[in-house]
Amino acid sequence: MADTENLGTGTTTSRRSEGSRDRGRTTISDNVVAAIAGIAIRETEGVHSTGRGASKALGAVAGRMPGSGGSSAAGRAVKVEVGEKQAAIDVDVKVEYGTPIHELADRIRTNVTDAVETMTGLEVVEINIVVFDVHIPGDDDDDSDDQGGSGGSSPRVR
């Protein structure tokens, strides 16, 4: 069991067992918990991507910068609230077409809970999932080529 102390931006966890008293503290930052959860979510079959809009774009740009890892980009799409012994997680996901969303949500919750609890010792009490889009294979994520072009087809709506 982990004893924890809330430090505002993170949680201090100290494992207590016989012979380990006064051996120090381990501080786990909120963004570490978010990164762990983000990786577990992206590794779940049926998830196309996490985050939307500005957070997704910022994560993509940061992921291409020298010295930045994919885990920091993953954490930006996940919001985490860490208490003394517990964590609550909110995430926005884009799912693959054909994936049963209710089953995917169960798999996400299982994967995130297992990863966060195993790696941090915190109890995950809540995982809120917002499915904001469905990825259809063959559709381009960037439709800018079709906008305002003179491709020879007339607009359907005036």
Side-chain angles (χ1 to χ4, degrees):
M1 178 115 187
D3 295 322
T4 57
E5 176 182 328
N6 190 6
L7 296 178
T9 61
T11 298
T12 299
T13 303
S14 54
R15 298 268 181 193
R16 299 218 195 289
S17 62
E18 292 181 32
S20 67
R21 285 177 213 240
D22 301 323
R23 291 179 56 181
R25 294 185 184 270
T26 302
T27 301
I28 303 169
S29 174
D30 290 358
N31 62 354
V32 170
V33 176
I36 293 166
I39 291 167
I41 292 163
R42 289 188 331 190
E43 290 178 346
T44 304
E45 185 178 342
V47 173
H48 179 265
S49 62
T50 60
R52 55 176 143 168
S55 70
K56 186 174 179 182
L58 181 61
V61 169
R64 290 189 209 119
M65 295 177 69
S68 72
S71 63
S72 63
R76 288 189 185 95
V78 180
K79 296 178 186 89
V80 176
E81 183 179 335
V82 178
E84 290 183 18
K85 296 181 181 181
Q86 300 174 327
I89 300 165
D90 298 327
V91 64
D92 296 341
V93 297
K94 182 175 184 178
V95 302
E96 294 288 347
Y97 177 78
T99 302
I101 294 172
H102 62 286
E103 293 174 9
L104 176 62
D106 289 342
R107 287 195 309 268
I108 289 171
R109 287 186 176 98
T110 299
N111 290 351
V112 170
T113 300
D114 290 348
V116 171
E117 289 184 353
T118 299
M119 293 183 71
T120 68
L122 295 167
E123 176 190 10
V124 177
V125 294
E126 182 176 87
I127 301 173
N128 297 308
I129 302 166
V130 174
V131 178
F132 69 90
D133 201 358
V134 176
H135 176 258
I136 301 170
D139 278 359
D140 292 324
D141 289 344
D142 183 11
D143 295 332
S144 62
D145 296 338
D146 298 334
Q147 302 295 324
S150 56
S153 64
S154 62
R156 293 177 55 188
V157 180
R158 294 187 192 248

